Amino acid sequence: MTHSAPPKTGQAPRPGADDRQVRTVRVPDERAGQRLDNFLLGQLKGAPRSLVYKLVRSGQVRVNGGRAKAERKLEGGDEVRIPPVRVAEAGDRPTPPKGLLDALEAAIVFEDARLLVLNKPSGLASHGGSGISHGAIESLRALRPNQTLELVHRLDRDTSGLLVVAKKRSALTELQALMREDGGIAKRYLALLTGRMPDGVMTVDAPLHIGLRQGGERHVQVNPAGKPSLSHFRVLERRGGQSYCEVRIETGRTHQIRVHAQHIGHPIAGDDKYGDVDANKRLRDQAGLKRLFLHASTLEFALDGGKAPYLLNAPLAPELIDVLDRLA
């Protein structure tokens, strides 16, 4: 149920409207478990994620009368205060270029009645935001204008690989619940780590804390005050003095694999944020590596309470295969 303050019609304004009234929106039961930022994006159609975060950080958004963080999980019956926001009309937003839409259509690796799964290219953000007009989800919505599509999770802009989009609310809710469970979703990545990793599996159990650098850029560090984070690195083969690894993660923290790799002294090749500048330059010159060598390759889970198993795979991007070939 939605009502306004001061009350008028008891209805939420149409998407794109110039909403000059504070609104209080009651969270329906079927939205229980949804993050506050994602709930707000659904209420403020067309608003960039950066604006949503700004509204939350400034305290203009309230949950049950109190301040809340963007990642807060809402409960049915919660009351969310939404301040007046001018959201651009849908017609004001540029349409994603045809080349991008064609590339996304070709990048769909799996689809059924519940899910659409993309092999996201490196360089494409999962969603639009500050300075980014078209993320993967906005472009997919332009490609499928008559479908309801919601991101189940996110990938870093520079990471390629599996990005899961829900076509039904029930699938979104169940997958988000699985993501909160230990072992609910098995996630495996392929990565090239700089230097020679030891044989076998190296487990990194190191808590991660998100900080902000000047200018608002997120920077993640290993910090005892951070959230528990667990990654397992296994060397598949060594190429040109580097270590090609499979990485299994049991938690899904921001930049987890990148920071854990840096923490053990073998940062991911091509990582311009947490990596080794000299090693990156050598790999660019010798092997043509021009991007982060991190790829979300496999997801395994089951819906319908375990009755409907899914095993999703995304092949390694051709430009990464070329790098491995040159290192051989």
Side-chain angles (χ1 to χ4, degrees):
M1 184 178 96
T2 304
H3 57 275
S4 299
K8 285 190 176 181
T9 63
Q11 294 181 343
R14 63 182 175 83
D18 190 359
D19 179 14
R20 300 187 186 279
Q21 301 290 341
V22 172
R23 292 189 287 140
T24 300
V25 180
R26 181 164 291 147
V27 178
D29 290 341
E30 64 268 20
R31 296 278 173 176
Q34 187 173 30
R35 285 171 50 128
L36 175 59
D37 53 355
N38 292 330
F39 180 78
L40 291 170
L41 286 167
Q43 293 292 320
L44 300 171
K45 298 291 187 183
R49 190 172 286 264
S50 56
L51 173 59
V52 168
Y53 286 143
K54 181 178 179 181
L55 293 173
V56 174
R57 283 196 303 266
S58 66
Q60 295 181 69
V61 173
R62 300 283 176 129
V63 178
N64 300 329
R67 295 178 73 124
K69 294 184 177 181
E71 62 269 23
R72 173 169 173 167
K73 300 293 196 304
L74 297 173
E75 297 181 4
D78 281 349
E79 294 199 338
V80 181
R81 176 194 187 274
I82 303 177
V85 175
R86 174 70 177 105
V87 179
E89 296 283 357
D92 295 340
R93 298 192 299 274
T95 302
K98 185 177 185 300
L100 174 57
L101 297 182
D102 290 345
L104 283 187
E105 184 74 67
I108 295 171
V109 292
F110 177 82
E111 184 173 6
D112 65 7
R114 291 186 279 200
L115 303 177
L116 184 153
V117 183
L118 193 69
N119 186 0
K120 186 187 79 66
S122 174
L124 177 66
S126 297
H127 52 73
S130 53
I132 302 172
S133 299
H134 310 297
I137 187 61
E138 292 84 8
S139 301
L140 283 171
R141 286 169 179 158
L143 192 65
R144 305 285 183 85
N146 298 320
Q147 290 186 358
T148 299
L149 301 174
E150 297 287 348
L151 275 178
V152 172
H153 63 112
R154 285 171 268 179
L155 283 181
D156 290 348
R157 183 176 184 177
D158 295 329
T159 303
S160 58
L162 292 169
L163 186 66
V164 182
V165 176
K167 297 165 69 174
K168 292 187 176 182
R169 179 69 201 174
S170 57
L172 177 65
T173 301
E174 189 170 5
L175 278 167
Q176 289 178 335
L178 286 173
M179 292 177 74
R180 294 191 292 270
E181 293 178 10
D182 291 340
I185 299 181
K187 308 172 192 174
R188 290 181 174 81
Y189 290 71
L190 296 172
L192 185 69
L193 272 59
T194 56
R196 295 181 64 83
M197 287 272 292
D199 289 331
V201 176
M202 179 180 286
T203 294
V204 182
D205 185 356
L208 298 177
H209 174 72
I210 300 176
L212 291 178
R213 285 179 166 172
Q214 193 169 11
E217 179 190 8
R218 289 187 301 176
H219 189 80
V220 182
Q221 293 179 314
V222 172
N223 187 312
K227 294 182 177 180
S229 307
L230 191 60
S231 305
H232 308 280
F233 296 83
R234 180 170 68 90
V235 177
L236 298 175
E237 57 181 313
R238 295 187 179 86
R239 296 279 182 114
Q242 319 303 324
S243 303
Y244 181 49
C245 299
E246 179 189 75
V247 189
R248 182 170 58 87
I249 60 173
E250 295 190 30
T251 51
R253 311 301 181 200
T254 299
H255 298 170
Q256 176 174 324
I257 296 174
R258 298 166 67 179
V259 179
H260 276 176
Q262 177 198 48
H263 182 63
I264 60 176
H266 297 279
I268 294 178
D271 192 339
D272 59 7
K273 193 180 187 82
Y274 303 102
D276 182 317
V277 174
D278 293 335
N280 288 346
K281 185 178 186 306
R282 286 196 302 272
L283 285 165
R284 184 183 181 93
D285 294 342
Q286 296 171 8
L289 180 62
K290 300 176 182 178
R291 52 157 288 194
L292 178 73
F293 200 125
L294 182 61
H295 179 76
S297 62
T298 307
L299 286 172
E300 189 170 2
F301 54 88
L303 297 180
D304 294 341
K307 297 176 183 176
Y310 285 78
L311 177 58
L312 305 173
N313 291 286
L316 197 63
E319 68 268 18
L320 298 184
I321 294 175
D322 289 344
V323 169
L324 291 177
D325 289 344
R326 293 189 188 104
L327 288 173

